[in-house]
Structure formats: structure tokens, C-alpha cells
Amino acid sequence: DLNKTCVCQVQQKEEPDESIAHAVSVKLGEAAGISYSEIAARAYECGRTELAIKLLEFEPRSGEQVPLLLKMKRSQLALSKSIESGDTDLVYTVVTYLKNEMNRGDFFMTLRNQPVALSLYRQV
């Protein structure tokens, strides 16, 4: 099955992230039912954070990208992806996560450059 093949690829430590991400995207193409976020999660578990981020770029569903980005402590990227998605619930989820994880100053510095997120936060 394609998922197993791709998971095996992400575990190859000697391969550069860029070439593995490209190989996985070529293999999966537009295959229905395949989740890039699942493969990215496996890459992250194997200590390949940058590869996981590259694989998430192929994931079309923001709702699948954002939770893993938060888990990987890539909160800025998670915030950007949630805003790009246009899904206010997803943006609010990230804002709430950031509020709980950051000190007050860092939290507001992060939102300062994200008017959509700041606006959502102020509405609550």
C-alpha cells in the first residue's frame, strides 16, 4: 500500500528531506484517501521535523496541517496556515493555543502582524 511505502521512505535517514518530499509527492500524486499529514506525522516521530513540514505543504486540508504544526512547535506557521485557510474556527483554535502556550508579551507580538488573528481574539 502507498502509505506504507511512503512511511518507509521517510524513515531513511541518509536521504535529504527535499528528495524524500518530492518522491512521496510523486508517488502519491492525487491518490484519493491518502493523507500527507499522516506521513508527515511519521516523519516527525522519526526526528525529521523539516521533512514533516515539507510533506505538510502537499496536504490540501488546513485542518490536517495545523494540529501537527502546533505539535511540532511551529506556531507561526500554524497561524499563517490557519489564516490562509479562511477557516475562522481553525484560526481561533491556533490563537487559543498560542495564548495558553506563550507569555502575554510574546503572544501579542505574534498577533501584532496578523490582523485577522488579532481581530478574532478581540471579538472574544
Side-chain angles (χ1 to χ4, degrees):
D1 115 346
L2 279 176
N3 246 0
K4 284 183 183 172
T5 303
C6 293
V7 166
C8 287
Q9 275 190 298
V10 301
Q11 294 173 324
Q12 296 174 7
K13 299 276 187 204
E14 68 282 350
E15 284 291 318
D17 294 343
E18 197 66 47
S19 64
I20 291 176
H22 178 71
V24 168
S25 73
V26 167
K27 249 185 199 130
L28 295 182
E30 297 295 318
I34 300 295
S35 171
Y36 282 98
S37 60
E38 285 178 27
I39 298 164
R42 187 67 186 132
Y44 176 66
E45 289 166 11
C46 292
R48 310 271 318 253
T49 303
E50 293 306 313
L51 174 57
I53 291 168
K54 288 181 187 316
L55 289 168
L56 283 176
E57 289 297 319
F58 297 109
E59 177 60 61
R61 297 164 297 185
S62 300
E64 296 289 320
Q65 291 176 330
V66 170
L68 184 55
L69 289 168
L70 291 175
K71 183 179 179 181
M72 295 188 302
K73 305 289 186 214
R74 299 301 173 109
S75 51
Q76 291 280 5
L77 188 53
L79 184 58
S80 296
K81 292 289 184 188
S82 68
I83 291 168
E84 285 172 23
S85 77
D87 180 343
T88 54
D89 289 340
L90 192 58
V91 176
Y92 186 73
T93 298
V94 175
V95 169
T96 302
Y97 174 88
L98 296 177
K99 184 175 185 253
N100 293 330
E101 292 293 312
M102 298 176 141
N103 69 47
R104 188 173 168 82
D106 290 343
F107 174 71
F108 284 108
M109 288 297 287
T110 300
L111 293 190
R112 182 185 62 171
N113 297 321
Q114 301 289 355
V116 171
L118 187 57
S119 174
L120 272 174
Y121 174 72
R122 286 184 175 151
Q123 288 176 17
V124 178

